[in-house]
Amino acid sequence: MKNRCILSLLLCCFLLYYALPELQLRGNSISVYFSWTWLSLLIMAFAGNLAAVLFAPKKSKHALHKINQKSKGKIKYYQRG
């Protein structure tokens, strides 16, 4: 999950870098409203992914060991015959 959030953060940065010169931020036309709406949605997406990266729960080694033991016990072996 953390890798997906970091990838989304990088994508947000790329979109901002690519779109910022094209956006019209001053005036009274519909394109100005679209630009500000697009920027606000981009900022919300960036903030959500950043919060997911910063506040992700830490996995303990003990919990990972339990998961590995449970998955080992469920392996079934079949014989030809």
Side-chain angles (χ1 to χ4, degrees), residues 14-15 20 22 44 46 48 65 67-69 72 78 80:
F14 172 74
L15 286 173
L20 198 58
E22 303 296 325
M44 284 191 273
F46 188 85
H65 184 65
I67 292 171
N68 287 338
Q69 285 180 346
K72 285 182 183 177
Y78 297 100
R80 290 186 183 178

Side-chain angles (χ1 to χ4, degrees), residues 12-59:
C12 286
C13 291
F14 172 74
L15 286 173
L16 183 65
Y17 174 77
Y18 184 73
L20 198 58
E22 303 296 325
L23 294 175
Q24 295 178 354
L25 300 175
R26 292 195 169 97
N28 279 336
S29 67
I30 193 80
S31 64
V32 174
Y33 295 123
F34 172 79
S35 298
W36 282 106
T37 304
W38 190 86
L39 277 176
S40 64
L41 290 174
L42 181 76
I43 289 170
M44 284 191 273
F46 188 85
N49 285 308
L50 185 63
V53 169
L54 294 178
F55 300 115
K58 306 247 189 253
K59 293 183 181 177

